[in-house]
Amino acid sequence: MTSAVQPLLLRHPHGITAVDAEYGVRGHSAAHVIVQDGRALIVDVGTSHAVPFLLAALAELGLGPDAVDWLFLTHVHLDHAGGAGTLLRQLPRARALLHPRGAPHMIAPAKLIAGTQAVYGEETYARVYGEIVPMAPERVDVTRDGERLRLGAREFEIAHTPGHALHHHVLVDLGARSVFTGDTFGLSYRAFDTEQGPWVLVTSTPTQFDPAQLEASIDRIVGYAPESAYLMHYSRVGDIPRLAAELKLQIGEYVALAERHAAAADRHAAMRADMRGLWQRRLEAHGCRLAAGRIDELLETDLELNVQGLEAWLDRRR
Ligand SMILES: [Zn+2]
């Protein structure tokens, strides 16, 4: 079968494949396809622009759209779930799995759309996120914390993990000793890999970042003793205890820098400067040899979103 698009695939062990979600540049976001006994489970999607790439990826894996049993969405931030309604319409046998606090937003996305348009403007919204299609409620299953799920002979556990967002849950792959962590286990761009391995950064995107919840959720992920975590940004990392320690160190630093500047006249700029400094120091300690300007380029969007999220946390705490 020939396809109009060429998906970028990364093949991992245990029938796991990362499919680049084509969000901005390649290497930024990846959905994951898990195949077991000829059946498939997809974790996260990307925007509607990712959908043709995911369908082409299934074809490359020798699967038709009817081979997909589950569409698991870690949370409903649009870079993960914006295209999920569009994709679900292409998967005749799939059911969507959503956290009870996330499901209403995918069934009736008007609020999600209006919120995004308010932040980015209508034109950017249409270009970046494409169409956000509602999900038919009868095709959505709401998850319970600790619930088990099967795909062929393979068993998974679902864990509710607030901290990045209140409606975040992760998928624990018990057979592959892996966790599909969405944004709960941070972001790890491959550009920051060194001889020490991967580097990870905490994402505090608006509007539900909560440091104590996030620490507890990271501990919970580590408690499964996984060999690997699969991140949306960007795919597989090992060395889980070291990365968890790095994430918790950063959470402590985020709280300290937010509190330090809480009453500052230019709170936003002061927090930006401190978070930038923190990342530059952590990357230097990690043996990263990229120029400071290149690091700034790679992290600019995350820096801006993280500071906005920390400010939202400060305001909520008042
Ligand atoms: Zn997110």
Side-chain angles (χ1 to χ4, degrees), residues 258-282:
E259 286 173 344
R260 194 154 59 234
H261 300 300
D266 199 350
R267 177 175 83 166
H268 185 85
M271 285 169 61
R272 263 186 72 104
D274 271 12
M275 191 174 292
R276 176 183 178 275
L278 167 67
W279 288 346
Q280 297 275 357
R281 285 195 307 279
R282 295 309 298 160

Side-chain angles (χ1 to χ4, degrees), residues 161-162 184-186 202 213-223 240 243-245 247-248 251:
T161 54
T184 297
F185 207 69
V202 171
Q213 287 179 346
L214 188 56
E215 273 207 42
S217 291
I218 289 164
D219 285 341
R220 182 135 182 232
I221 289 169
V222 173
I240 303 303
L243 295 184
L247 289 168
K248 286 162 83 170
I251 292 170

